[in-house]
Amino acid sequence: MVEFPIHTIDTAPEAARPLLEASLKANGRIPGLHGTMADAPGLLEAYQVAHKAFLNTSLTKEEKTVVWQTVNVEHECHYCVPAHTGIARMMGVDDAITEALRNETPLPDPRLEALRDFTRKVVRNRGFVDEADAQAFLDAGYTTTNVLEVILGVAQKVMSNYVNHFARTPVDRVFEKYAWERRKPAAAE
């Protein structure tokens, strides 16, 4: 089993220290993901830049949550699903949306369901979404700008999900109550 360090400001490579200080200032703590990414300062910096850019997209807080959690669930990220459950609560996203995303059940809003479907297709097909599926997304009221914003959100989550798969990053204590494991489909009778 490969062990990945989870750095503090004191143990991190010099180039990562200001990035961890920014994490501490923004979160009141250093998330385990950031401490893990700090071993490769360029990765942590890219992740933080992508996160800030995604927060500044035209997507609503509910739509951002749909993109994040769709990718997290699709990648079965043991760390990010609980983290984004807590983040969604802090953002004031309706718990019904969060639970539908976590449990892979229908969302309460057809427009958000179209966003989840499109995001899932982007992930599953590695960006090769067919014309009809892209048009269905646009027909749901989204724009070509939103297509690009979804790609940004997917890129951000690929970085975090993959790091967490390799490092088996422990879920931060503040999010432990939102622990998640993908439901296995019922066996056929």
Side-chain angles (χ1 to χ4, degrees):
M1 181 161 104
V2 178
E3 294 291 326
F4 287 80
I6 300 176
H7 287 287
T8 65
I9 292 169
D10 295 331
T11 66
E14 188 66 37
R17 290 178 183 170
L19 302 169
L20 289 180
E21 288 169 358
S23 291
L24 179 60
K25 183 177 179 186
N27 300 294
R29 61 188 172 73
I30 297 173
L33 171 66
H34 298 195
T36 301
M37 286 181 164
D39 210 40
L43 174 62
L44 178 56
E45 181 178 18
Y47 179 79
Q48 288 179 338
V49 168
H51 179 68
K52 182 178 179 184
F54 189 68
L55 286 175
N56 289 323
T57 64
S58 67
L59 299 171
T60 67
K61 63 187 179 184
E62 290 80 11
E63 292 167 333
K64 288 177 178 94
T65 297
V66 168
V67 172
W68 281 326
Q69 285 292 55
T70 299
V71 180
N72 294 336
V73 167
E74 193 63 27
H75 288 159
E76 296 185 41
C77 186
H78 75 281
Y79 180 95
C80 288
V81 173
H84 279 282
T85 299
I87 291 166
R89 292 198 100 185
M90 289 184 266
M91 292 170 63
V93 173
D94 185 338
D95 286 342
I97 292 170
T98 298
E99 288 308 306
L101 291 164
R102 286 171 57 97
N103 298 319
E104 299 180 272
T105 58
L107 286 160
D109 177 340
R111 190 165 189 269
L112 293 178
E113 190 65 49
L115 175 60
R116 173 168 56 181
D117 186 52
F118 180 74
T119 304
R120 188 183 296 130
K121 286 177 178 161
V122 169
V123 172
R124 287 182 180 170
N125 300 318
R126 296 184 307 270
F128 291 101
V129 177
D130 69 41
E131 191 89 19
D133 290 328
Q135 190 59 52
F137 180 65
L138 298 174
D139 290 347
Y142 291 100
T143 66
T144 55
T145 299
N146 299 136
V147 169
L148 300 175
E149 291 171 337
V150 167
I151 292 168
L152 172 60
V154 170
Q156 177 200 354
K157 295 314 315 172
V158 164
M159 286 187 273
S160 62
N161 294 170
Y162 288 13
V163 165
N164 292 319
H165 291 327
F166 275 99
R168 292 174 300 286
T169 315
V171 175
D172 297 325
R173 176 172 268 135
V174 68
F175 299 129
E176 285 176 349
K177 63 186 168 193
Y178 305 121
W180 175 86
E181 193 173 303
R182 182 176 242 160
R183 289 184 178 178
K184 303 296 180 209
E189 295 181 28

